[in-house]
Amino acid sequence: MFECKKVAAVNDISGIGRCSMTVIIPSLSAMGIQVCPVPTAVLSAHTGFDEYVFRDLTDYIKPALGHYKKIKYKFDCIYTGFLSSEEQVDYCLEFFDSFKVSLKVCDPVMGDGGKTYPTYTKKMCERMIELVRKADVITPNLTEAAILLGEEYQPVAMTSSEIKSWLVRLSEIGPNVVVITSVSLAGSGLCNVGYDKEHSTFWKVVCDYVPAHYSGCGDMFASVLVGGLLKGDSLPIAINRATAFTELAIKTTFSYSAEPSDGIMLESCLNWLINTQIFKDYETL
Ligand code: PXL
């Protein structure tokens, strides 16, 4: 019998603004992967809005995890993202520990553009490193990578050797695969870069700069990367696929002059994920 891969997605659900679960579920579903949502919080809108209703679901996660353990459910991947309390770090660790054969992916969602998101406390950011330590794959943006390394976020182009050293240092915390998004690289421009510790390989996929910022891009990138890896893509091809789709969705959104806080217009692009053969468009870093 055909069984599709199953991903436990530990992330929030935001009613408006297309991010987290409302991006993860359609993206992975389009790739033929089942998403099992483990909501960390329910929000009326993402935290980029001036106002939002926020319901923390910390007390839901532990019994939900208990249920999945009791019935010995098999997840192919545990993929963590936006957390809404410090305690949720403990439950994510317990998820990682309980499903030993699953691919453990941590998108260490904490901030963007040099700033942390308003619901993230200093302590939550400090504790994120515990999840990174146990993950197989991490997908920070440049802001999150800086927080994890205790570095200053600087909105200036980095050299290849600087970003390679960040990738290696992050992998030394634990994960075998590190992908950093939204890196401005001297001589290349905007790119997503990756490192595979086991094979000592560095990769980069260059993307076009679009002068707008939409919520949910990081969630979209990480979801498609996870989907690609679960379907057998090599790391550079998964980065290539995730970059190409995110770039397509960003350019589509920009072309409609859409309101940035409404997030990325993925509905009109999802067929690309279902049908497209990816061009092998990566380079070594
Ligand atoms: O895309 C990251 C994210 C996820 N969830 C919520 C957010 C954000 C970024 O703003 O506010 C609730």
Side-chain angles (χ1 to χ4, degrees):
M1 192 187 69
F2 170 75
E3 273 201 51
C4 65
K5 298 263 168 123
K6 298 182 186 68
V7 177
V10 188
N11 218 314
D12 74 277
I13 178 153
S14 291
I16 57 175
R18 295 190 190 90
C19 66
S20 42
M21 222 60 105
T22 59
V23 167
I24 295 166
I25 297 174
S27 302
L28 280 167
S29 298
M31 296 177 82
I33 289 166
Q34 181 185 346
V35 179
C36 307
V38 183
T40 55
V42 183
L43 293 87
S44 58
H46 64 64
T47 61
F49 280 75
D50 291 337
E51 273 180 49
Y52 45 87
V53 180
F54 182 97
R55 294 281 184 276
D56 170 57
L57 290 179
T58 301
D59 65 353
Y60 164 79
I61 298 182
K62 194 176 172 64
L65 170 62
H67 178 207
Y68 300 143
K69 278 165 74 170
K70 186 170 159 204
I71 63 173
K72 296 191 169 54
Y73 205 76
K74 290 196 170 55
F75 296 110
D76 299 283
C77 173
I78 311 291
Y79 160 27
T80 68
F82 181 96
L83 305 184
S84 71
S85 72
E86 227 185 279
E87 230 180 314
Q88 289 188 357
V89 173
D90 295 318
Y91 299 144
C92 289
L93 287 169
E94 212 176 317
F95 255 96
F96 279 177
D97 209 40
S98 306
F99 301 96
K100 292 217 163 20
V101 296
S102 314
L103 181 71
K104 296 164 194 62
V105 180
C106 170
D107 184 4
V109 174
M110 291 184 281
D112 204 1
K115 292 202 183 102
T116 49
Y117 297 131
T119 55
Y120 270 73
T121 61
K122 194 159 178 283
K123 195 85 202 206
M124 279 169 76
C125 294
E126 280 166 14
R127 291 208 57 199
M128 193 59 87
I129 209 153
E130 297 174 39
L131 269 185
V132 167
R133 198 172 289 136
K134 297 284 178 193
D136 302 310
V137 179
I138 63 166
T139 58
N141 58 32
L142 197 65
T143 302
E144 293 153 349
I147 295 172
L148 290 168
L149 293 174
E151 293 280 355
E152 189 95 7
Y153 169 84
Q154 291 188 332
V156 291
M158 295 176 81
T159 63
S160 290
S161 57
E162 278 168 342
I163 200 69
K164 279 176 158 177
S165 115
W166 280 34
L167 288 164
V168 170
R169 284 168 59 200
L170 285 168
S171 79
E172 283 167 355
I173 300 171
N176 186 50
V177 169
V178 177
V179 178
I180 308 181
T181 59
S182 305
V183 176
S184 172
L185 205 61
S188 300
L190 191 63
C191 30
N192 297 320
V193 297
Y195 174 55
D196 175 341
K197 185 164 60 176
E198 186 187 342
H199 299 103
S200 301
T201 46
F202 294 90
W203 307 101
K204 85 172 172 203
V205 176
V206 178
C207 42
D208 290 339
Y209 172 74
V210 173
H213 181 78
Y214 304 106
S215 61
C217 294
D219 301 310
M220 176 175 280
F221 178 88
S223 305
V224 179
L225 184 90
V226 166
L229 292 174
L230 288 176
K231 293 185 79 151
D233 279 351
S234 63
L235 177 62
I237 291 175
I239 299 174
N240 183 192
R241 190 186 298 281
T243 305
F245 183 62
T246 308
E247 186 179 59
L248 171 72
I250 290 172
K251 286 183 173 174
T252 301
T253 313
F254 188 70
S255 76
Y256 284 101
S257 305
E259 175 57 43
S261 60
D262 269 342
I264 196 157
M265 290 174 66
L266 76 169
E267 299 82 2
S268 47
C269 308
L270 281 175
N271 60 343
W272 186 97
L273 271 185
I274 299 170
N275 297 322
T276 306
Q277 291 290 312
I278 191 78
F279 290 109
K280 314 299 187 272
D281 211 10
Y282 59 82
E283 298 166 60
T284 51
L285 174 65

